[in-house]
């Protein structure tokens, strides 16, 4: 059954018990190429994404079994918009047990991404209900643009989610940052209609978190009672608080989040060992 773009289609994920902590991994901005050895500002994104997956698997054996309920892949999964780049992504994710849910970034080819991830058996669900939390993945892509914007159809999905699930805390995943991260060169490529988004979120009485990719750095701020989080890329990192384009020496990474039944959350950015995948600092952009 096809769903009209404006219709919210919710997927219930175990555990349905509302007293359980929901464990989430966010992987973002893999920027993969068809060529596993392609160079991207001094590093090879397939190899760094491979190292991130290996580190997640290693964490699982040492700390706990891979106890995550699902993975959120928040865009810019491909840099060259080739079928092979998305197949590399699907193959890497297949090594991680939890189901993967995804959304496009400004570098993704939305239609090709949909076709390739569908073919790989990766879920197309964009609204998840798990425990006392709901997750909504929205598409901020404006084809041909670097900045993002939420269409009225996408905003309507958010309106439906908070109307149908008024008691469930909300983790909203988007690609573009909805609040400035403090990098002037990057904040020009932000989510343009973030005020419309925040106005809708303010109507929701349960806890609200907005999780994004795109900025290739950790970020964690509260604005008007909403927590805004951003996370490292699995490839190159951007230097925080830089007016002009600048790469960072921090290693590639990912984010883990634990969502508690009462609406609180704990979260941690994980990174590969320092100096792993050092970029070409003379790069001036891409
Ligand atoms: N030197 C630069 N100045 C401004 N924008 C840039 C520069 N280099 C890259 N970008 C764009 O900024 C974007 C931020 O992250 P993306 O990976 O979405 O893609 C990046 C490029 O499209
Ligand atoms: Fe991006």
């Amino acid at each position: 059954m096809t769903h009209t773009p404006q219709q919210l289609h919710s997927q219930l994920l175990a555990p349905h018990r509302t007293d359980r902590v929901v464990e989430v991994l966010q992987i973002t901005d893999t920027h993969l190429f068809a060529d596993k050895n392609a160079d991207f500002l001094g590093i090879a994104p397939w190899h760094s994404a491979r190292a991130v997956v290996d580190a997640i698997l290693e964490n699982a054996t040492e700390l706990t079994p891979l106890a995550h309920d699902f993975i959120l892949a928040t865009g810019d999964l491909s840099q060259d918009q080739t079928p092979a780049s998305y197949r590399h992504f699907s193959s890497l994710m297949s090594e991680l047990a939890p189901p993967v849910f995804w959304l496009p970034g400004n570098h993704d080819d939305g239609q090709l991404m949909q076709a390739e991830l569908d073919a790989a058996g990766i879920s197309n669900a964009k609204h998840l209900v798990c425990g006392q939390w709901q997750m909504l993945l929205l598409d901020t892509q404006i084809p041909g643009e670097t900045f993002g914007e939420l269409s009225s159809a996408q905003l309507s999905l958010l309106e439906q989610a908070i109307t149908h699930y008024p008691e469930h805390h909300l983790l909203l995943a988007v690609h573009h940052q909805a609040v400035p991260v403090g990098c002037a060169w990057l904040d020009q490529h932000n989510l343009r209609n973030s005020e419309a988004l925040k106005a809708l979120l303010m109507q929701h009485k349960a806890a609200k978190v907005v999780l994004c990719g795109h900025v290739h750095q950790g970020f964690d701020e509260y604005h008007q009672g909403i927590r805004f989080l951003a996370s490292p890329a699995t490839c190159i990192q951007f230097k925080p608080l830089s007016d002009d384009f600048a790469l960072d020496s921090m290693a590639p990474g990912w984010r883990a989040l634990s969502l508690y039944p009462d609406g609180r959350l704990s979260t941690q950015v994980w990174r590969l060992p320092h100096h792993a995948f050092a970029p070409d600092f003379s790069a001036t952009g891409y």
Side-chain angles (χ1 to χ4, degrees):
M1 182 178 125
T2 53
H3 295 283
T4 56
Q6 285 75 7
Q7 184 188 351
L8 186 74
H9 177 58
S10 304
Q11 177 162 340
L12 297 181
L13 289 181
H16 305 309
R17 290 186 4 243
T18 54
D19 61 349
R20 248 276 262 109
V21 180
V22 179
E23 302 290 354
V24 186
L25 281 182
Q26 179 197 14
I27 289 175
T28 194
D29 295 87
T30 50
H31 287 270
L32 295 167
F33 293 80
D35 173 2
K36 287 183 178 179
N37 299 314
D39 176 270
F40 186 49
L41 283 73
I43 71 152
W46 183 86
H47 289 279
S48 60
R50 165 83 269 166
V52 165
V53 169
D54 289 344
I56 291 171
L57 290 169
E58 216 170 281
N59 269 9
T61 45
E62 278 170 29
L63 294 178
T64 57
L66 200 56
H68 295 94
D69 294 297
F70 50 85
I71 293 170
L72 297 179
T74 47
D76 278 3
L77 305 184
S78 173
Q79 179 62 28
D80 66 2
Q81 297 86 36
T82 55
S85 64
Y86 289 110
R87 290 174 199 170
H88 289 327
F89 174 77
S90 304
S91 165
L92 286 165
M93 290 301 105
S94 70
E95 298 193 30
L96 297 171
V100 176
F101 302 97
W102 60 273
L103 56 86
N106 45 292
H107 286 282
D108 287 307
D109 174 328
Q111 285 186 332
L112 175 66
M113 183 181 201
Q114 178 83 61
E116 288 297 333
L117 299 186
D118 283 354
I122 292 181
S123 169
N124 187 39
K126 304 297 181 222
H127 186 242
L128 316 168
V129 180
C130 186
Q132 194 53 38
W133 282 79
Q134 61 179 316
M135 278 50 64
L136 180 63
L137 291 82
L138 291 182
D139 180 351
T140 56
Q141 194 186 42
I142 304 288
E145 298 293 351
T146 303
F147 65 82
E149 195 162 67
L150 283 164
S151 66
S152 54
Q154 291 295 300
L155 286 169
S156 132
L157 292 174
L158 173 56
E159 207 159 11
Q160 293 175 57
I162 57 183
T163 305
H164 297 326
Y165 294 88
E167 309 296 322
H168 282 72
H169 309 301
L170 172 65
L171 174 64
L172 174 68
V174 289
H175 179 66
H176 293 84
Q177 73 274 30
V179 296
V181 296
C183 293
W185 72 274
L186 194 46
D187 284 328
Q188 65 181 321
H189 304 311
N190 64 344
L191 174 65
R192 288 290 155 84
N193 56 344
S194 58
E195 289 314 311
L197 170 64
K198 282 185 258 185
L200 265 179
L201 288 172
M202 299 299 281
Q203 294 172 24
H204 192 46
K205 295 302 162 246
K208 300 164 281 282
V209 186
V210 179
L211 178 68
C212 77
H214 191 50
V215 297
H216 296 224
Q217 58 193 277
F219 176 84
D220 186 347
E221 284 186 7
Y222 273 96
H223 291 258
Q224 297 157 281
I226 303 165
R227 190 162 182 185
F228 290 87
L229 297 170
S231 304
T234 64
C235 59
I236 52 167
Q237 307 306 308
F238 296 149
K239 191 172 182 54
L241 305 178
S242 52
D243 286 340
D244 302 314
F245 179 89
L247 294 177
D248 195 3
S249 60
M250 296 290 274
W254 69 99
R255 182 181 286 275
L257 303 99
S258 300
L259 309 177
Y260 295 93
D262 64 0
R264 285 175 306 123
L265 74 86
S266 63
T267 184
Q268 180 172 352
V269 164
W270 290 81
R271 290 190 186 268
L272 296 178
H274 203 51
H275 301 309
F277 300 98
D280 169 7
F281 289 103
S282 67
T284 56
Y286 56 97

